[in-house]
Coordinates of all heavy atoms in Angstrom, one line a residue:
M1 N 96.6 90.6 120.9 CA 96.3 91.0 119.5 C 95.1 91.8 119.5 O 95.0 92.7 118.6 CB 96.3 89.8 118.6 CG 97.6 89.1 118.4 SD 98.7 89.9 117.3 CE 98.2 89.3 115.7
D2 N 94.1 91.6 120.3 CA 92.8 92.4 120.3 C 93.1 93.8 120.6 O 92.4 94.7 120.0 CB 91.8 91.8 121.2 CG 91.2 90.5 120.7 OD1 91.2 90.3 119.5 OD2 90.7 89.7 121.6
D3 N 94.0 94.1 121.5 CA 94.4 95.5 121.8 C 94.9 96.2 120.5 O 94.6 97.4 120.3 CB 95.4 95.6 122.9 CG 94.8 95.2 124.3 OD1 93.5 95.3 124.4 OD2 95.6 94.9 125.2
K4 N 95.8 95.5 119.8 CA 96.3 96.0 118.6 C 95.2 96.3 117.6 O 95.2 97.3 116.9 CB 97.4 95.1 118.0 CG 98.6 95.0 118.8 CD 99.6 94.1 118.2 CE 100.9 93.9 119.1 NZ 101.8 93.0 118.5
R5 N 94.3 95.4 117.4 CA 93.2 95.5 116.5 C 92.4 96.8 116.8 O 92.1 97.6 116.0 CB 92.3 94.3 116.5 CG 91.1 94.5 115.5 CD 89.9 93.6 115.7 NE 90.3 92.2 116.1 CZ 90.3 91.2 115.3 NH1 90.0 91.3 114.1 NH2 90.6 90.0 115.8
T6 N 92.1 96.9 118.1 CA 91.3 98.1 118.6 C 92.0 99.4 118.3 O 91.5 100.4 117.7 CB 90.9 98.0 120.1 OG1 90.2 96.8 120.3 CG2 90.2 99.2 120.5
A7 N 93.3 99.5 118.6 CA 94.1 100.7 118.4 C 94.2 101.0 116.9 O 94.1 102.1 116.5 CB 95.5 100.5 119.0
C8 N 94.4 100.0 116.1 CA 94.5 100.2 114.7 C 93.2 100.6 114.0 O 93.2 101.5 113.1 CB 95.1 99.0 114.0 SG 96.9 98.7 114.4
Q9 N 92.1 100.1 114.5 CA 90.8 100.5 114.0 C 90.5 101.9 114.4 O 90.0 102.7 113.6 CB 89.7 99.5 114.6 CG 89.7 98.2 113.9 CD 88.8 97.2 114.6 OE1 88.5 97.3 115.8 NE2 88.2 96.2 113.9
E10 N 90.9 102.3 115.6 CA 90.7 103.7 116.1 C 91.5 104.6 115.2 O 91.1 105.7 114.9 CB 91.0 103.8 117.6 CG 90.0 103.2 118.4 CD 90.3 103.1 119.9 OE1 91.4 103.7 120.3 OE2 89.5 102.6 120.7
L11 N 92.7 104.2 114.9 CA 93.6 105.1 114.1 C 93.0 105.2 112.7 O 93.0 106.3 112.1 CB 95.0 104.5 114.0 CG 96.0 105.2 113.1 CD1 96.1 106.7 113.5 CD2 97.3 104.5 113.0
A12 N 92.5 104.2 112.1 CA 91.9 104.2 110.8 C 90.7 105.2 110.8 O 90.5 106.0 109.9 CB 91.4 102.8 110.3
A13 N 89.9 105.2 111.8 CA 88.8 106.1 112.0 C 89.3 107.6 112.1 O 88.7 108.5 111.5 CB 87.9 105.8 113.1
A14 N 90.4 107.8 112.9 CA 90.9 109.1 113.0 C 91.5 109.6 111.7 O 91.4 110.8 111.4 CB 92.0 109.1 114.1
V15 N 92.1 108.8 110.9 CA 92.6 109.2 109.6 C 91.4 109.6 108.7 O 91.5 110.7 108.1 CB 93.4 108.0 108.9 CG1 93.7 108.4 107.4 CG2 94.7 107.7 109.7
A16 N 90.3 108.9 108.7 CA 89.2 109.3 108.0 C 88.7 110.7 108.4 O 88.3 111.5 107.6 CB 88.1 108.3 108.1
D17 N 88.7 110.9 109.7 CA 88.3 112.3 110.2 C 89.3 113.3 109.8 O 88.9 114.4 109.4 CB 88.2 112.3 111.7 CG 87.0 111.5 112.3 OD1 86.1 111.3 111.5 OD2 87.0 111.1 113.4
A18 N 90.6 113.0 109.8 CA 91.6 114.0 109.4 C 91.5 114.4 108.0 O 91.8 115.5 107.6 CB 93.0 113.4 109.8
E19 N 91.2 113.4 107.1 CA 91.0 113.7 105.7 C 89.9 114.7 105.4 O 90.0 115.4 104.4 CB 90.8 112.4 104.9 CG 92.1 111.5 104.9 CD 91.9 110.2 104.3 OE1 90.7 109.7 104.3 OE2 92.9 109.6 103.8
K20 N 88.9 114.8 106.3 CA 87.8 115.7 106.1 C 88.3 117.2 106.3 O 87.7 118.1 105.8 CB 86.7 115.4 107.1 CG 86.0 114.1 106.8 CD 85.0 113.8 107.9 CE 84.5 112.4 107.8 NZ 83.6 112.0 108.9
Y21 N 89.4 117.4 107.0 CA 89.9 118.7 107.3 C 90.6 119.3 106.1 O 90.8 120.5 106.0 CB 90.9 118.7 108.4 CG 90.2 118.5 109.8 CD1 90.5 117.3 110.5 CD2 89.3 119.4 110.3 CE1 89.9 117.1 111.7 CE2 88.7 119.1 111.5 CZ 89.0 118.0 112.2 OH 88.4 117.8 113.4
G22 N 90.9 118.5 105.1 CA 91.6 119.1 103.9 C 93.1 119.2 104.2 O 93.6 118.5 105.0
T23 N 93.7 120.1 103.4 CA 95.2 120.2 103.5 C 95.5 121.3 104.5 O 94.7 122.2 104.8 CB 95.8 120.5 102.2 OG1 95.2 121.7 101.7 CG2 95.5 119.4 101.2
P24 N 96.7 121.2 105.1 CA 97.2 122.2 106.0 C 97.4 123.6 105.4 O 97.6 123.7 104.1 CB 98.5 121.7 106.6 CG 99.0 120.7 105.6 CD 97.7 120.2 104.9
P25 N 97.5 124.6 106.2 CA 97.7 126.0 105.6 C 99.1 126.3 105.1 O 99.4 127.4 104.8 CB 97.3 126.9 106.8 CG 97.7 126.1 108.0 CD 97.3 124.7 107.6
S26 N 100.0 125.3 105.2 CA 101.4 125.5 104.8 C 101.6 124.8 103.5 O 101.5 123.5 103.4 CB 102.3 125.0 105.9 OG 103.6 124.9 105.4
E27 N 102.1 125.5 102.5 CA 102.4 124.8 101.2 C 103.6 123.8 101.4 O 103.5 122.7 100.8 CB 102.9 125.9 100.2 CG 101.8 126.7 99.6 CD 100.7 125.8 98.8 OE1 101.1 124.9 98.1 OE2 99.5 126.1 99.0
K28 N 104.5 124.1 102.3 CA 105.6 123.2 102.5 C 105.2 121.9 103.2 O 105.8 120.9 103.0 CB 106.7 123.9 103.4 CG 107.3 125.1 102.8 CD 108.2 125.8 103.8 CE 108.6 127.2 103.4 NZ 109.3 127.9 104.4
A29 N 104.1 122.0 104.0 CA 103.7 120.8 104.7 C 102.7 119.9 104.0 O 102.5 118.8 104.4 CB 103.0 121.3 106.0
K30 N 102.1 120.4 102.9 CA 101.1 119.6 102.2 C 101.5 118.2 101.8 O 100.8 117.2 102.0 CB 100.5 120.4 101.0 CG 99.7 121.5 101.4 CD 99.1 122.3 100.2 CE 98.2 123.4 100.7 NZ 97.7 124.2 99.6
G31 N 102.7 118.1 101.3 CA 103.2 116.8 100.8 C 103.4 115.9 102.0 O 103.1 114.7 101.9
F32 N 104.0 116.4 103.1 CA 104.3 115.6 104.3 C 102.9 115.2 104.9 O 102.8 114.0 105.3 CB 105.1 116.4 105.3 CG 106.5 116.5 104.9 CD1 107.0 117.6 104.2 CD2 107.4 115.5 105.2 CE1 108.3 117.8 103.8 CE2 108.8 115.6 104.9 CZ 109.2 116.8 104.2
W33 N 102.0 116.1 104.9 CA 100.7 115.8 105.5 C 100.0 114.6 104.7 O 99.5 113.6 105.3 CB 99.8 117.0 105.4 CG 98.4 116.8 105.9 CD1 97.3 116.7 105.0 CD2 97.8 116.8 107.2 NE1 96.1 116.5 105.8 CE2 96.4 116.6 107.1 CE3 98.4 116.8 108.4 CZ2 95.6 116.5 108.2 CZ3 97.6 116.7 109.6 CH2 96.2 116.6 109.4
A34 N 100.0 114.7 103.4 CA 99.4 113.7 102.6 C 100.1 112.4 102.7 O 99.5 111.3 102.8 CB 99.4 114.1 101.1
E35 N 101.4 112.4 102.8 CA 102.2 111.2 102.9 C 101.9 110.5 104.3 O 101.8 109.3 104.4 CB 103.7 111.5 102.8 CG 104.6 110.2 102.9 CD 106.1 110.5 102.7 OE1 106.4 111.7 102.4 OE2 106.8 109.6 102.8
A36 N 101.9 111.3 105.3 CA 101.6 110.8 106.7 C 100.2 110.1 106.7 O 100.1 109.0 107.2 CB 101.7 111.9 107.7
L37 N 99.2 110.8 106.1 CA 97.8 110.2 106.2 C 97.8 108.9 105.4 O 97.2 108.0 105.8 CB 96.8 111.2 105.6 CG 96.5 112.4 106.5 CD1 95.4 113.3 105.8 CD2 96.0 112.0 107.9
T38 N 98.5 108.9 104.2 CA 98.5 107.7 103.4 C 99.2 106.5 104.2 O 98.7 105.4 104.2 CB 99.3 107.9 102.1 OG1 98.6 108.9 101.4 CG2 99.4 106.6 101.3
D39 N 100.3 106.8 104.9 CA 101.0 105.8 105.6 C 100.2 105.4 106.9 O 100.2 104.2 107.2 CB 102.4 106.3 106.0 CG 103.3 106.4 104.9 OD1 103.0 105.9 103.8 OD2 104.5 106.9 105.1
F40 N 99.5 106.3 107.5 CA 98.7 106.0 108.7 C 97.5 105.0 108.2 O 97.2 104.0 108.8 CB 98.1 107.2 109.3 CG 99.0 107.9 110.3 CD1 99.1 109.3 110.2 CD2 99.6 107.2 111.3 CE1 100.0 109.9 111.1 CE2 100.4 107.9 112.2 CZ 100.6 109.3 112.1
E41 N 96.9 105.4 107.1 CA 95.8 104.6 106.6 C 96.3 103.2 106.2 O 95.7 102.2 106.6 CB 95.2 105.3 105.4 CG 94.0 104.5 104.8 CD 93.3 105.2 103.7 OE1 94.0 106.0 102.9 OE2 92.1 105.0 103.5
H42 N 97.3 103.1 105.4 CA 97.8 101.8 105.0 C 98.3 101.0 106.2 O 98.0 99.8 106.3 CB 98.9 102.0 103.9 CG 99.4 100.7 103.4 ND1 100.5 100.0 103.8 CD2 98.8 99.9 102.4 CE1 100.6 98.9 103.1 NE2 99.6 98.8 102.3
G43 N 99.1 101.6 107.0 CA 99.6 100.9 108.2 C 98.5 100.4 109.1 O 98.6 99.2 109.6
S44 N 97.5 101.2 109.4 CA 96.4 100.7 110.3 C 95.6 99.6 109.6 O 95.2 98.7 110.3 CB 95.5 101.9 110.7 OG 94.9 102.5 109.6
N45 N 95.4 99.7 108.3 CA 94.7 98.6 107.6 C 95.5 97.3 107.6 O 94.9 96.3 107.8 CB 94.4 99.1 106.2 CG 93.3 100.1 106.1 OD1 92.5 100.2 107.0 ND2 93.3 100.9 105.0
E46 N 96.8 97.4 107.4 CA 97.6 96.2 107.5 C 97.6 95.6 108.9 O 97.6 94.4 109.0 CB 99.1 96.5 107.1 CG 99.2 96.7 105.6 CD 98.9 95.5 104.8 OE1 99.6 94.4 105.0 OE2 97.9 95.5 104.0
C47 N 97.6 96.5 109.9 CA 97.6 96.0 111.2 C 96.3 95.2 111.5 O 96.3 94.1 112.0 CB 97.7 97.2 112.2 SG 97.5 96.8 113.9
V48 N 95.2 95.8 111.1 CA 93.9 95.2 111.3 C 93.8 93.9 110.6 O 93.4 92.8 111.1 CB 92.7 96.1 110.9 CG1 91.4 95.4 110.9 CG2 92.6 97.3 111.8
A49 N 94.3 93.9 109.3 CA 94.2 92.6 108.5 C 95.1 91.6 109.1 O 94.8 90.4 109.2 CB 94.7 92.9 107.1
G50 N 96.3 92.0 109.6 CA 97.2 91.0 110.2 C 96.6 90.4 111.4 O 96.7 89.2 111.7
V51 N 96.0 91.2 112.3 CA 95.4 90.7 113.5 C 94.2 89.7 113.1 O 94.1 88.6 113.6 CB 94.8 91.8 114.4 CG1 93.9 91.2 115.5 CG2 95.9 92.6 114.9
G52 N 93.4 90.1 112.1 CA 92.4 89.2 111.6 C 92.8 87.9 111.1 O 92.1 86.9 111.3
Q53 N 94.0 87.9 110.5 CA 94.5 86.6 110.0 C 95.5 85.9 111.0 O 96.1 84.9 110.6 CB 95.3 86.9 108.7 CG 94.4 87.4 107.6 CD 95.2 87.9 106.4 OE1 96.4 87.9 106.4 NE2 94.4 88.3 105.4
K54 N 95.6 86.5 112.2 CA 96.6 86.0 113.2 C 98.0 86.0 112.6 O 98.8 85.0 112.8 CB 96.1 84.7 113.7 CG 94.8 84.7 114.4 CD 94.5 83.4 115.0 CE 93.2 83.2 115.8 NZ 92.3 84.2 115.9
D55 N 98.3 87.0 111.8 CA 99.6 87.1 111.1 C 100.4 88.2 111.8 O 100.3 89.4 111.5 CB 99.4 87.4 109.6 CG 100.6 87.5 108.8 OD1 101.7 87.6 109.4 OD2 100.5 87.5 107.6
E56 N 101.2 87.8 112.8 CA 101.9 88.8 113.6 C 102.9 89.6 112.8 O 103.0 90.8 113.0 CB 102.5 88.1 114.8 CG 103.0 89.2 115.8 CD 102.9 88.7 117.3 OE1 102.3 87.7 117.5 OE2 103.4 89.4 118.1
P57 N 103.7 89.0 111.9 CA 104.6 89.8 111.1 C 103.8 90.9 110.3 O 104.3 92.0 110.2 CB 105.3 88.8 110.2 CG 105.2 87.5 110.9 CD 103.9 87.5 111.6
R58 N 102.7 90.6 109.7 CA 101.9 91.6 109.0 C 101.4 92.7 109.9 O 101.5 93.9 109.6 CB 100.8 90.9 108.2 CG 100.0 91.9 107.4 CD 98.9 91.2 106.6 NE 98.2 92.1 105.7 CZ 97.2 91.8 104.9 NH1 96.8 90.5 104.9 NH2 96.6 92.7 104.2
T59 N 100.9 92.2 111.1 CA 100.5 93.2 112.1 C 101.6 94.1 112.5 O 101.4 95.4 112.5 CB 100.0 92.5 113.3 OG1 98.9 91.6 112.9 CG2 99.5 93.4 114.4
N60 N 102.7 93.6 112.7 CA 103.9 94.4 113.2 C 104.4 95.3 112.1 O 104.8 96.4 112.3 CB 105.0 93.5 113.7 CG 104.6 92.9 115.0 OD1 103.8 93.3 115.7 ND2 105.2 91.7 115.3
E61 N 104.3 94.9 110.8 CA 104.7 95.7 109.7 C 103.8 96.9 109.6 O 104.2 98.0 109.3 CB 104.8 94.9 108.4 CG 105.2 95.8 107.2 CD 106.6 96.5 107.4 OE1 107.5 95.9 108.0 OE2 106.7 97.6 106.9
G62 N 102.5 96.7 109.8 CA 101.5 97.8 109.8 C 101.8 98.8 110.9 O 101.8 100.0 110.7
I63 N 102.2 98.3 112.1 CA 102.5 99.1 113.2 C 103.8 99.9 112.9 O 103.9 101.1 113.2 CB 102.7 98.3 114.5 CG1 101.3 97.8 114.9 CG2 103.3 99.1 115.6 CD1 101.3 96.7 116.0
R64 N 104.8 99.3 112.3 CA 106.0 100.0 111.9 C 105.7 101.1 110.9 O 106.3 102.2 111.0 CB 107.1 99.1 111.3 CG 107.8 98.3 112.4 CD 109.0 97.5 111.9 NE 108.6 96.4 111.0 CZ 108.3 95.2 111.4 NH1 108.2 95.0 112.7 NH2 107.9 94.3 110.5
E65 N 104.8 100.9 110.0 CA 104.4 101.9 109.0 C 103.8 103.1 109.7 O 104.0 104.2 109.4 CB 103.5 101.3 107.9 CG 103.3 102.3 106.8 CD 102.6 101.6 105.6 OE1 102.3 100.4 105.6 OE2 102.4 102.4 104.6
V66 N 102.9 102.8 110.7 CA 102.3 103.8 111.5 C 103.4 104.6 112.2 O 103.3 105.9 112.3 CB 101.3 103.2 112.5 CG1 100.9 104.2 113.5 CG2 100.1 102.7 111.7
Q67 N 104.4 104.0 112.8 CA 105.4 104.7 113.5 C 106.2 105.6 112.6 O 106.6 106.7 113.0 CB 106.4 103.6 114.2 CG 105.7 102.9 115.3 CD 106.5 101.7 115.9 OE1 107.2 101.1 115.1 NE2 106.3 101.4 117.1
R68 N 106.5 105.1 111.4 CA 107.2 106.0 110.4 C 106.3 107.2 110.1 O 106.8 108.3 109.9 CB 107.4 105.2 109.1 CG 108.6 104.3 109.2 CD 109.0 103.7 107.8 NE 107.9 103.1 107.1 CZ 107.7 101.8 107.2 NH1 108.4 101.0 108.0 NH2 106.6 101.2 106.5
A69 N 105.0 107.0 110.0 CA 104.1 108.1 109.7 C 104.1 109.2 110.8 O 103.9 110.4 110.5 CB 102.7 107.6 109.5
I70 N 104.3 108.7 112.0 CA 104.4 109.7 113.1 C 105.5 110.7 112.9 O 105.4 111.9 113.1 CB 104.5 109.0 114.5 CG1 103.3 108.2 114.8 CG2 104.9 109.9 115.6 CD1 103.4 107.2 116.0
G71 N 106.7 110.2 112.4 CA 107.8 111.1 112.1 C 107.5 112.0 111.0 O 107.9 113.2 111.0
I72 N 106.8 111.6 110.0 CA 106.4 112.4 108.8 C 105.5 113.5 109.3 O 105.6 114.6 108.9 CB 105.9 111.5 107.7 CG1 106.9 110.6 107.2 CG2 105.3 112.4 106.6 CD1 106.4 109.5 106.3
L73 N 104.5 113.1 110.1 CA 103.5 114.0 110.6 C 104.2 115.1 111.5 O 103.9 116.3 111.4 CB 102.5 113.3 111.5 CG 101.4 114.2 112.0 CD1 100.6 114.9 110.9 CD2 100.4 113.4 112.9
A74 N 105.2 114.7 112.3 CA 106.0 115.7 113.1 C 106.6 116.7 112.2 O 106.7 117.9 112.5 CB 107.0 114.9 114.0
S75 N 107.2 116.3 111.1 CA 107.8 117.2 110.1 C 106.8 118.2 109.6 O 107.0 119.4 109.5 CB 108.4 116.4 109.0 OG 109.5 115.7 109.4
A76 N 105.6 117.7 109.2 CA 104.5 118.6 108.7 C 104.1 119.6 109.8 O 104.0 120.8 109.4 CB 103.3 117.7 108.3
V77 N 104.0 119.2 111.0 CA 103.6 120.1 112.1 C 104.7 121.2 112.3 O 104.4 122.3 112.5 CB 103.3 119.3 113.4 CG1 103.2 120.3 114.6 CG2 102.1 118.5 113.2
S78 N 105.9 120.8 112.2 CA 107.0 121.7 112.3 C 107.0 122.8 111.2 O 107.2 124.0 111.5 CB 108.4 121.0 112.3 OG 108.6 120.2 113.5
M79 N 106.7 122.3 110.0 CA 106.7 123.3 108.9 C 105.5 124.2 109.1 O 105.6 125.4 108.8 CB 106.5 122.5 107.6 CG 107.8 121.8 107.2 SD 107.5 120.9 105.7 CE 109.0 119.9 105.6
I80 N 104.4 123.7 109.5 CA 103.2 124.6 109.8 C 103.5 125.6 110.8 O 103.2 126.8 110.7 CB 102.0 123.7 110.2 CG1 101.5 122.9 109.0 CG2 100.8 124.6 110.7 CD1 100.5 121.8 109.3
R81 N 104.2 125.2 111.9 CA 104.5 126.1 113.0 C 105.5 127.2 112.5 O 105.3 128.3 112.8 CB 105.2 125.3 114.1 CG 105.5 126.2 115.3 CD 106.2 125.4 116.5 NE 105.2 124.4 117.0 CZ 105.5 123.1 117.1 NH1 106.7 122.6 116.7 NH2 104.6 122.3 117.6
I82 N 106.4 126.8 111.7 CA 107.4 127.8 111.2 C 106.7 128.8 110.3 O 106.9 130.0 110.4 CB 108.5 127.1 110.4 CG1 109.4 126.3 111.4 CG2 109.3 128.1 109.6 CD1 110.4 125.3 110.8
D83 N 105.8 128.3 109.5 CA 105.1 129.2 108.6 C 104.2 130.2 109.4 O 104.1 131.4 109.1 CB 104.2 128.5 107.6 CG 105.0 127.9 106.4 OD1 106.3 128.2 106.4 OD2 104.5 127.1 105.6
L84 N 103.5 129.7 110.4 CA 102.6 130.5 111.2 C 103.4 131.5 112.0 O 103.0 132.7 112.2 CB 101.8 129.6 112.2 CG 100.7 128.8 111.5 CD1 100.0 127.9 112.5 CD2 99.7 129.7 110.7
E85 N 104.6 131.1 112.5 CA 105.4 132.1 113.3 C 106.0 133.2 112.4 O 106.2 134.3 112.9 CB 106.5 131.3 114.0 CG 106.0 130.5 115.2 CD 107.1 129.6 115.8 OE1 108.2 129.5 115.2 OE2 106.8 128.9 116.8
A86 N 106.2 132.9 111.1 CA 106.7 133.9 110.2 C 105.7 134.9 109.8 O 106.1 136.0 109.3 CB 107.2 133.2 109.0
K87 N 104.4 134.7 110.1 CA 103.4 135.7 109.7 C 103.3 136.8 110.7 O 103.5 136.7 111.8 CB 102.1 134.9 109.6 CG 102.1 134.1 108.3 CD 100.7 133.4 108.1 CE 100.8 132.6 106.8 NZ 99.6 132.1 106.4

């Protein structure tokens, strides 16, 4: 469980860094970007809290939320790529 805590804490810090960059240059991607960051933040916080409480189901639910966010982020990146290639 300590490995999960460390990984989730690192992800939470990375989300805070990503939020400093603002929104992506693609209007189509902005909503996906925001949704991914929200899900990454919530999921990593749930993971850390679950580990702290030795609550494996809560920890795993946080990890699943992070996994969903990865798919959302992939969609945002695809939209950004398409917009940049169109220019």
Side-chain angles (χ1 to χ4, degrees):
M1 291 283 273
D2 285 338
D3 289 340
K4 290 178 183 178
R5 178 196 325 258
T6 300
C8 291
Q9 287 172 330
E10 289 173 0
L11 177 59
V15 169
D17 288 342
E19 289 173 337
K20 294 176 189 172
Y21 290 114
T23 57
S26 167
E27 285 299 318
K28 296 175 194 170
K30 285 182 181 180
F32 286 94
W33 174 260
E35 183 178 356
L37 288 182
T38 297
D39 288 354
F40 279 130
E41 180 178 29
H42 186 262
S44 62
N45 289 336
E46 284 298 297
C47 173
V48 170
V51 170
Q53 297 171 357
K54 296 183 181 4
D55 182 345
E56 194 147 348
R58 184 175 182 184
T59 302
N60 291 336
E61 181 55 35
I63 291 169
R64 281 191 292 278
E65 189 167 359
V66 166
Q67 291 169 331
R68 283 190 302 270
I70 291 169
I72 296 166
L73 182 61
S75 295
V77 170
S78 291
M79 289 177 189
I80 292 167
R81 182 180 299 125
I82 289 167
D83 283 353
L84 291 174
E85 288 173 354
K87 290 184 179 188

